[in-house]
Amino acid sequence: DVLALPIFKQEESSLPPENENKILPFQYVLCAATSPAVKLHDETLTYLNQGQSYEIRMLDNRKIGELPEINGKLVKSIFRVVFHDRRLQYTEHQQLEGWRWNRPGDRILDIDIPMSVGIIDPRANPTQLNTVEFLWDPSKRTSVFIQVHCISTEFTMRKHGGEKGVPFRVQIDTFKENENGEYTEHLHSASCQIKVFKPKGADRKQKTDREKMEKRTPHEKEKYQPSYETTILTECSPWPEITYVNNAPSPGFNSSHSSFSIGEGNGSPNHQPEPPPPIADNLLPTSTPQEAQQWLHRNRFSTFSRLFRNFSGADLLKLTREDVIQICGPADGIRLFNALKGRMVRPRLTIYVCQESQQLRDLQQKHEDRDTVTSTFFVYHAIYLEELTAVELTEKLAQLFSISSQQISQIYKQGPTGIHVLISDEMIQNFQDESCFVLDTMKAETNDSYHIILK
């Protein structure tokens, strides 16, 4: 029975006894404090904040003459965030697919590239949300900063509030090259137990555990481990390769975030967004590294194409404004960030207008029944204003009527008791955003011009 299986703890039992005291070739140190509420001889537990960058130091512990075949060569490390409980490990694929559907376009595990040191060719496969990998030189200082974006309570069975979150594991598997230049020969694996909380939740949980321990008697405290400033990942068996990771991504991942693309994805049938104009060239989270390179060239970022050669669309879109500025410099960084987010310049004022009077005249000729007229809806047009002047409004209305702006003599707004108030710049500047107006037209004194009244 899957549910009756024991909880997955450290895997020393799966290793030969002679391995217990040997010096391992590598050591990985997570720079986050362990919980003080862990009993002696139990595995350490470390609390992390969602989305916060945490350093993992990659240390070369080899003795002189050990593993000489990797001297001067790179090794490959694969980072995973996996489930600690056996029960959830057996349903990992279903659990991750459910998370993917609920969080389209997001990843479980990311590398904070600007903060990291010594990593080469970092990669994140769009179909493996919980896995990242990179190359590194053991003879050089290497620190990778990771971000975990899921929280432990997202995978609990019952969600009534106050439930305990499930523990995860951070596992690192390191490989060397084989004769064909492929990184498939296993060197070392290590892991540690973590729980992930909403931002600042890990700090509160650590404080709570510390206060609980302070209230215990000295005799009770002897049964618990001290809180260590860092977390040492302990040796474990390599993570088994699973065949489903190469499957095509589920439709949930193809649903793009609204800020990246309006016309793509699984939009709600009740609220279909308008397609973007043809000039829009927004990068999608599903874009491959090759498509991302083409997008960079089309948008005049060829200078940085080599730097981002292994970045997919999701990788680029994950970069924060600070990340991009640090990588590309202030001028190009701001331009690239705005291009990545597909940012359009928002108008200062939007109004909606409807040519009701003309429509009513047409309807009255076709329908004698009063109920038919009143049940007809009218189409409004959006007018976007930047300068907030009467001249600009005149030009926009002229475009709407397909006439020249010289043919509009005056624009009035219908005021109290039906009076006509001449539109001025100051009046437009005091319009409420997204106000609605019905347009009425009157022939001006000259034959070819009109007065327009906003009702």
Side-chain angles (χ1 to χ4, degrees):
D1 187 355
V2 170
L3 296 177
L5 286 172
I7 287 179
F8 176 73
K9 292 189 178 181
Q10 286 175 279
E11 299 199 14
E12 285 88 354
S13 58
S14 66
L15 300 168
E18 63 268 16
N19 285 357
E20 290 183 2
N21 296 319
K22 80 167 186 177
I23 298 176
L24 303 172
F26 302 110
Q27 187 175 58
Y28 315 124
V29 182
L30 171 61
C31 295
T34 61
S35 167
V38 176
K39 290 188 176 182
L40 289 173
H41 311 299
D42 281 353
E43 183 181 11
T44 60
L45 175 61
T46 305
Y47 304 133
L48 304 183
N49 288 316
Q50 178 189 30
Q52 183 173 325
S53 296
Y54 289 92
E55 180 185 9
I56 296 183
R57 296 172 185 164
M58 314 288 288
L59 305 177
D60 182 4
N61 272 2
R62 290 177 298 154
K63 294 182 290 186
I64 296 175
E66 186 179 3
L67 295 174
E69 64 272 21
I70 67 172
N71 289 340
K73 294 188 177 181
L74 302 177
V75 296
K76 177 180 182 178
S77 286
I78 301 175
F79 281 49
R80 290 180 175 87
V81 170
V82 296
F83 292 112
H84 176 81
D85 294 348
R86 287 284 192 199
R87 175 179 57 81
L88 290 173
Q89 287 177 27
Y90 283 122
T91 61
E92 179 183 284
H93 182 50
Q94 291 81 0
Q95 297 285 344
L96 297 187
E97 284 298 292
W99 193 89
R100 188 200 302 267
W101 276 97
N102 293 325
R103 301 270 295 273
D106 285 351
R107 290 188 56 80
I108 287 176
L109 179 63
D110 268 326
I111 297 177
D112 188 342
I113 293 174
M115 294 282 288
S116 301
V117 176
I119 66 172
I120 301 168
D121 196 16
R123 298 192 178 196
N125 190 323
T127 64
Q128 296 173 261
L129 306 184
N130 63 330
T131 304
V132 295
E133 61 183 55
F134 59 88
L135 305 177
W136 58 289
D137 185 344
S139 66
K140 296 180 181 178
R141 179 195 164 204
T142 303
S143 283
V144 58
F145 283 76
I146 64 166
Q147 298 170 336
V148 183
H149 297 290
C150 61
I151 58 176
S152 293
T153 52
E154 288 184 275
F155 299 98
T156 51
M157 294 290 288
R158 297 176 181 83
K159 299 188 178 181
H160 301 299
E163 65 279 345
K164 288 187 176 181
V166 302
F168 302 126
R169 303 194 69 77
V170 173
Q171 173 147 342
I172 303 174
D173 299 290
T174 299
F175 302 86
K176 66 178 180 179
E177 281 184 302
N178 61 13
E179 298 82 1
N180 300 321
E182 299 169 336
Y183 291 93
T184 55
E185 292 196 21
H186 179 256
L187 287 172
H188 177 241
S189 294
S191 65
C192 69
Q193 183 183 190
I194 62 168
K195 277 192 177 182
V196 185
F197 296 80
K198 290 182 178 179
K200 297 186 178 179
D203 309 281
R204 289 192 292 270
K205 177 62 174 169
Q206 187 80 356
K207 182 182 177 183
T208 302
D209 284 1
R210 189 168 59 248
E211 290 172 347
K212 284 182 179 178
M213 293 306 300
E214 288 171 354
K215 294 177 182 177
R216 295 183 181 273
T217 64
H219 179 69
E220 289 176 323
K221 288 180 182 179
E222 290 177 357
K223 300 176 183 178
Y224 290 84
Q225 301 179 24
S227 174
Y228 300 101
E229 290 185 0
T230 58
T231 304
I232 307 296
L233 278 68
T234 54
E235 188 178 20
C236 64
S237 300
W239 191 257
E241 288 299 323
I242 303 173
T243 56
Y244 65 72
V245 296
N246 290 321
N247 292 348
S250 74
F253 186 74
N254 292 330
S255 301
S256 38
H257 193 282
S258 59
S259 65
F260 304 139
S261 174
I262 300 173
E264 299 286 332
N266 301 328
S268 166
N270 298 324
H271 185 263
Q272 291 288 348
E274 295 180 4
I279 58 170
D281 185 18
N282 292 346
L283 185 68
L284 300 176
T286 50
S287 298
T288 63
Q290 291 76 21
E291 291 168 340
Q293 286 288 301
Q294 294 168 5
W295 181 88
L296 288 168
H297 284 284
R298 285 197 307 270
N299 288 271
R300 295 178 291 116
F301 296 108
S302 304
T303 311
F304 307 103
S305 60
R306 182 175 175 81
L307 185 63
F308 295 118
R309 67 185 182 279
N310 294 313
F311 280 57
S312 65
D315 296 331
L316 284 170
L317 291 166
K318 279 286 186 182
L319 295 174
T320 66
R321 187 173 185 270
E322 291 73 21
D323 292 339
V324 180
I325 289 174
Q326 184 175 354
I327 295 169
C328 304
D332 287 319
I334 292 171
R335 189 168 69 87
L336 176 57
F337 180 75
N338 288 335
L340 285 171
K341 302 307 178 188
R343 294 197 168 186
M344 305 296 291
V345 178
R346 182 177 175 82
R348 293 176 64 191
L349 178 67
T350 302
I351 62 172
Y352 303 106
V353 296
C354 170
Q355 296 173 258
E356 183 187 31
S357 57
Q358 184 60 47
Q359 292 179 22
L360 278 172
R361 293 191 198 102
D362 295 340
L363 288 167
Q364 284 171 348
Q365 292 175 3
K366 295 180 181 178
H367 303 284
E368 295 294 331
D369 187 357
R370 185 172 177 274
D371 292 335
T372 305
V373 175
T374 55
S375 64
T376 304
F377 72 93
F378 301 103
V379 177
Y380 282 76
H381 300 270
I383 291 181
Y384 304 109
L385 301 175
E386 291 290 348
E387 300 171 6
L388 306 186
T389 62
V391 172
E392 184 187 23
L393 179 59
T394 301
E395 292 172 350
K396 294 295 178 73
L397 289 174
Q399 293 173 14
L400 181 63
F401 282 100
S402 299
I403 60 176
S404 70
S405 57
Q406 286 78 18
Q407 289 179 274
I408 298 178
S409 178
Q410 300 288 354
I411 302 177
Y412 301 97
K413 183 177 184 298
Q414 184 168 293
T417 68
I419 63 173
H420 293 167
V421 182
L422 185 65
I423 290 284
S424 64
D425 295 351
E426 188 176 2
M427 182 182 290
I428 294 175
Q429 290 161 13
N430 282 282
F431 278 176
Q432 286 190 351
D433 195 28
E434 298 194 326
S435 297
C436 298
F437 298 101
V438 174
L439 299 184
D440 199 1
T441 56
M442 294 191 312
K443 269 283 189 180
E445 294 74 14
T446 57
N447 291 333
D448 294 335
S449 61
Y450 300 86
H451 297 310
I452 296 180
I453 303 166
L454 306 181
K455 296 182 177 179

